[in-house]
Amino acid sequence: MNVIHVPGSLEERTFDQLVQALGGQGEGRALFDARRVHWVDPYGMLALLAAGEVARRGGERPLLQLPESAEVASYLARMGFFEHAAELFELHGPRRRAGEGGHSDVLLEITPVRSHADVHAVVDRVNERAQAILTRQLAYPSREAFQFSVILSEVCQNIVEHSGAHGWVATQTYNWARRLGRKVVVIAVMDLGVGFRGSLSGEHAARHGDRWSDAVALEAAFIHGLTRFRDPGRGQGLQQIRKLVGRWGGKVSIRSGTARIAQVPDWDDAPPMEERLAPFPGAQICIVLPARAEGAA
C-alpha cells in the first residue's frame, strides 16, 4: 500500500506537495490519507479528484480516507465532492449529505465538463447566482458580474477545445479577512488532457526547436494568445481573461506539465513563472477575483 499524505490545507499553494507525493509512490494500490485536512477550497477539491484519477490510471482503484473535520465534511458535501469522488476512489470515513450543510453561497458546485453543452449548462447555472453574489457581496456592477460568466465560459471552452479529455470546474466565495481584508471569488478549472505543450506542439514546436517546453507553451498561450488553430482571432480567450482579471486586481495561474505561469497582483507573492515542477498531466487553472475596493471606479 502506497500512502499519500494529503496536505492539511488543500489549495493551489499546496498542490505541488500532493503532486510530488503522488509521483513518489511505488507500485501497488494508492491510499490518499486526507484525515487531517482542515481547509480546502475549489482548487483543492479538484486537485484531489485529479490526483485520484491519475492514480487510478496506474492500476488499482485508489482509496481515500476522508477528512475527520465535520466542518470540512459539510463543505465537501455542499460542493458535491463525495458524488464525484465515489467514481474514482474507494471512500472510507465520515460523509455528509448535501442537505446537511445548511444555506450556502456556493457559486458553482463541482461540475464535470465534457462537451460544449456542458459549458453552456455551467454558464446558465452560474448566471443567476453570480449576479446576486458578485453585486451584493463583492460590489461588482451588474455588467462586470455578467463578464464573470464570460470568464467561466472561456476557461471551460479550453477543456473542450484543447485538452482531449474531460475536466471539472468549481467556484466559491470566501472572506479573506486576514490574507486580503476583502471577500474573494475562487474559480478552479482542471483537466487531465494533453496540456498546453501537447495542444500547441503541432503548430508551434518547430519554430522554437530545443527551447520548446511546458513553460514556453504556457507563455505562448497566456501572453501571446497563440493557439493550435490557424483561424485569425482564435486563441484570444486567455488573453482576455488575463486583462479582465488584471483590471479587477485579481490573480490567474495556470499549471501544465512541469510549469506554472501566473499574473500576480500586488497582494500575492507567487512567482510569475515556475519551471521544473513535478510532472502532472493536463492543465490546472486558478482565478481569484477580489471584492471591489471602496471608491473603485
Side-chain angles (χ1 to χ4, degrees):
M1 187 71 67
N2 295 293
V3 180
I4 298 168
H5 294 285
V6 179
S9 180
L10 190 54
E11 55 186 316
E12 185 212 10
R13 294 186 295 182
T14 59
F15 178 53
D16 289 334
Q17 297 176 30
L18 184 62
V19 174
Q20 288 172 353
L22 181 63
Q25 69 167 333
E27 296 182 0
R29 195 175 190 185
L31 167 62
F32 289 80
D33 184 357
R35 291 176 296 173
R36 301 294 180 265
V37 171
H38 57 82
W39 164 259
V40 60
D41 70 359
Y43 191 98
M45 293 181 203
L46 299 192
L48 192 51
L49 294 177
E53 182 158 322
V54 170
R56 190 177 65 163
R57 289 176 178 179
E60 208 169 352
R61 189 183 188 196
L63 291 85
L64 173 60
Q65 290 181 309
L66 295 169
E68 295 176 345
S69 165
E71 184 178 358
V72 171
S74 177
Y75 179 43
L76 291 174
R78 294 201 305 272
M79 291 294 288
F81 174 82
F82 297 125
E83 174 187 348
H84 298 282
E87 299 176 0
L88 302 171
F89 298 95
E90 179 182 312
L91 301 179
H92 293 268
R95 278 186 255 180
R96 293 199 173 198
R97 294 187 298 274
E100 294 180 8
H103 176 72
S104 170
D105 57 0
V106 174
L107 266 173
L108 183 68
E109 299 85 353
I110 297 172
T111 304
V113 177
R114 303 182 182 93
S115 66
H116 289 289
D118 288 338
V119 175
H120 295 312
V122 164
V123 173
D124 289 343
R125 285 174 60 189
V126 83
N127 261 338
E128 183 177 347
R129 298 185 202 178
Q131 287 292 329
I133 292 174
L134 269 68
T135 56
R136 296 174 190 170
Q137 296 191 29
L138 276 71
Y140 278 58
S142 296
R143 180 179 60 84
E144 296 193 357
F146 171 77
Q147 288 178 307
F148 173 83
S149 298
V150 175
I151 290 178
L152 267 184
S153 177
E154 289 289 352
V155 291
C156 290
Q157 291 285 3
N158 267 337
I159 295 176
V160 176
E161 295 189 347
H162 301 286
S163 75
H166 74 271
W168 306 272
V169 56
T171 180
Q172 169 68 310
T173 58
Y174 296 94
N175 186 5
W176 281 8
R178 284 185 293 180
R179 185 173 173 183
L180 185 59
R182 281 186 274 168
K183 289 185 177 181
V184 300
V185 173
V186 176
I187 305 168
V189 182
M190 292 191 185
D191 68 72
L192 294 173
V194 299
F196 277 76
R197 183 180 181 184
S199 177
L200 298 178
S201 286
E203 190 68 24
H204 303 289
R207 75 182 66 173
H208 292 279
D210 294 339
R211 290 187 58 251
W212 186 243
S213 65
D214 290 315
V216 172
L218 281 172
E219 185 176 277
F222 191 59
I223 304 299
H224 304 296
L226 298 186
T227 177
R228 66 185 177 92
F229 299 109
R230 296 187 178 184
D231 306 9
R234 298 293 291 270
Q236 302 303 309
L238 284 178
Q239 280 190 314
Q240 291 175 355
I241 290 172
R242 179 170 57 85
K243 293 175 182 177
L244 187 60
V245 174
R247 192 169 78 229
W248 291 346
K251 175 184 177 180
V252 186
S253 78
I254 306 176
R255 191 192 196 281
S256 184
T258 60
R260 178 187 289 107
I261 194 169
Q263 174 172 278
V264 186
D266 294 339
W267 49 263
D268 195 275
D269 58 0
M273 175 66 79
E274 297 172 83
E275 301 182 63
R276 294 182 288 277
L277 302 175
F280 197 77
Q284 298 79 46
I285 301 175
C286 182
I287 300 174
V288 180
L289 301 175
R292 289 169 61 89
E294 289 188 18

